Amino acid sequence: MSDSKRFKIGCIGAGNVGATAAQYCAEMDLGDVVLFDIVEGMPQGKALDLTQAGPIRNSGSLVKGTNNYADIDGSDIVIVTAGLPRKPGMSRLDLLEKNARIVSDVAENLRKYAPQSVVIVVTNPLDVMTYLMMKKTGFPPERVVGMAGILDSARLRAFVAMELGVSMKNVDTMVLGSHGDEMVPLPEYTNVSGIPISQLLSKERIAALVERTRKGGGEIVALLKTGSAYYAPAASAARMAEAVCKDEKQVLPCAAYLSGQYGLKDLYLGVPVALGRNGVERVVELKLTVEQSAALQKSAGEVRKGIEELKSMKVL
Ligand code: APR
């Protein structure tokens, strides 16, 4: 039997987030995975190791490691985690420029080898890198989407569940805006099996959990000391790949291209979207309060600043 109908998932960057995303995709048996990195031998070694875990984890996914872009040929989905982490002494602008150059290089290869793919961007600064990926691939905006909101909302869900001693599976929430300090968590859309958290927690406790969510990435960096979070970011990216593979159209918070929704145009920002086989199939517009709207505009302002910086660096 031909296996040509199996999904092909490319993971560009085989570091902490990329290799773990490959692991989750393989464990979910979403299809076969190609793990690409510029470091020789490393993606091949990790891929072989992951494939050998398959029979034990009851997965049929083959994972192939490579340094050759031609191997991602015809991928249905590509998860992009290639990039540098911020190193001591490196300015924010320096990081922006370095990662922009990496993402531009990846985009060129996706144009060539995976022109029909849905691209899930993870590289930071997320909203700006997702915009750059869309521009450099020339793909329709709905086929380029950024991973942030699922991670940020998962953090808030976990904190609420830990606080209340209930299952994380019962907690639902929504986080809008850019991935970073200017994210816009929405306690009004947070509930435990339909019960609004305002009935379960005091205003002060909710505010504290929201603040911890905002600083969720930094809390982990401070503990790890030598790197940043990767299990939950990878799980979030794999969750998006799953929604695309299974054509779920499930509403999830993702960085999506806005063309007038929420009064915003020509940028990527975290909003609820229906994610399916074609990528972002719908942007859901929530009714926001004046404060929430102002916070979203502020968030958008930060992303615009990043886009302008790319333009002044002549990357865009
Ligand atoms: N093409 C492909 N891969 C590249 C390139 C490139 N031009 N440049 C660097 N890489 C690879 C590195 O070799 C490394 O294996 O990207 C990988 C990044 O992995 P890590 O350094 O482990 O970083 P990780 O923790 O996975 O984070 C990756 O995701 O969450 C974001 O902020 C994070 O931007 C960062 C990205």
Side-chain angles (χ1 to χ4, degrees):
M1 192 180 78
S2 156
D3 68 351
S4 62
K5 290 221 162 53
R6 286 177 69 76
F7 274 97
K8 183 165 175 180
I9 301 155
C11 291
I12 311 299
N16 281 339
V17 183
T20 313
Q23 178 189 346
Y24 287 133
C25 289
E27 293 219 332
M28 287 192 275
D29 224 342
L30 294 183
D32 293 326
V33 179
V34 178
L35 189 56
F36 173 95
D37 205 287
I38 49 170
V39 178
E40 281 179 26
M42 183 268 275
Q44 290 87 340
K46 289 187 179 182
L48 201 53
D49 200 6
L50 275 172
T51 298
Q52 291 163 3
I56 307 164
R57 302 298 296 166
N58 201 26
S59 161
S61 290
L62 291 174
V63 187
K64 179 187 169 89
T66 185
N67 307 118
N68 181 359
Y69 266 110
D71 287 322
I72 67 155
D73 188 41
S75 290
D76 302 285
I77 298 170
V78 180
I79 299 175
V80 179
T81 65
L84 297 182
R86 189 153 160 186
K87 300 207 179 89
M90 194 190 253
S91 73
R92 196 186 59 81
L93 278 182
D94 209 9
L95 179 77
L96 180 76
E97 181 162 13
K98 288 204 160 67
N99 278 353
R101 305 236 174 257
I102 292 172
V103 165
S104 302
D105 174 56
V106 174
E108 200 174 304
N109 284 289
L110 297 191
R111 263 169 79 96
K112 195 164 166 193
Y113 295 106
Q116 300 305 327
S117 60
V118 172
V119 184
I120 300 169
V121 180
V122 182
T123 306
N124 276 316
L126 192 271
D127 308 86
V128 180
M129 290 301 130
T130 311
Y131 182 86
L132 179 65
M133 179 64 82
M134 186 274 286
K135 287 285 180 192
K136 290 279 175 173
T137 52
F139 289 1
E142 61 274 14
R143 277 210 279 121
V144 181
V145 56
M147 186 294 293
I150 299 181
L151 170 63
D152 297 328
S153 61
R155 284 180 173 147
L156 183 53
R157 289 169 68 189
F159 295 147
V160 168
M162 283 151 62
E163 176 96 0
L164 291 170
V166 300
S167 168
M168 288 187 277
K169 292 192 278 188
N170 288 151
V171 185
D172 210 356
T173 188
M174 184 52 65
V175 176
L176 305 182
S178 61
H179 185 47
D181 295 345
E182 303 298 337
M183 73 174 75
V184 188
L186 298 177
E188 297 80 357
Y189 288 84
T190 309
N191 68 77
V192 180
S193 284
I195 309 163
I197 49 161
S198 55
Q199 292 189 22
L200 302 168
L201 287 169
S202 68
K203 265 197 179 132
E204 293 68 34
R205 285 310 302 151
I206 294 171
L209 299 184
V210 163
E211 192 51 22
R212 191 173 175 195
T213 302
R214 232 184 257 290
K215 304 210 164 112
E219 183 178 357
I220 291 174
V221 169
L223 290 165
L224 292 179
K225 295 184 182 74
T226 54
S228 51
Y230 56 97
Y231 291 112
S236 307
R239 176 70 193 91
M240 291 169 71
E242 183 185 30
V244 174
C245 281
K246 297 182 178 167
D247 196 22
E248 286 179 2
K249 306 182 199 301
Q250 189 161 335
V251 176
L252 298 164
C254 299
Y257 184 75
L258 299 180
S259 52
Q261 301 92 333
Y262 294 94
L264 295 163
K265 248 190 198 159
D266 196 32
L267 84 169
Y268 273 81
L269 203 63
V271 290
V273 304
L275 208 55
R277 185 64 194 93
N278 301 314
V280 174
E281 301 196 355
R282 188 180 160 188
V283 172
V284 180
E285 285 198 74
L286 302 176
K287 277 211 172 75
L288 300 181
T289 63
V290 174
E291 293 77 30
Q292 289 164 346
S293 226
L296 197 64
Q297 294 292 336
K298 192 166 172 220
S299 214
E302 284 301 306
V303 178
R304 279 214 184 89
K305 218 162 84 189
I307 292 172
E308 288 311 313
E309 280 161 356
L310 288 187
K311 285 182 182 159
S312 63
M313 288 167 187
K314 308 252 178 289
V315 182
L316 248 180

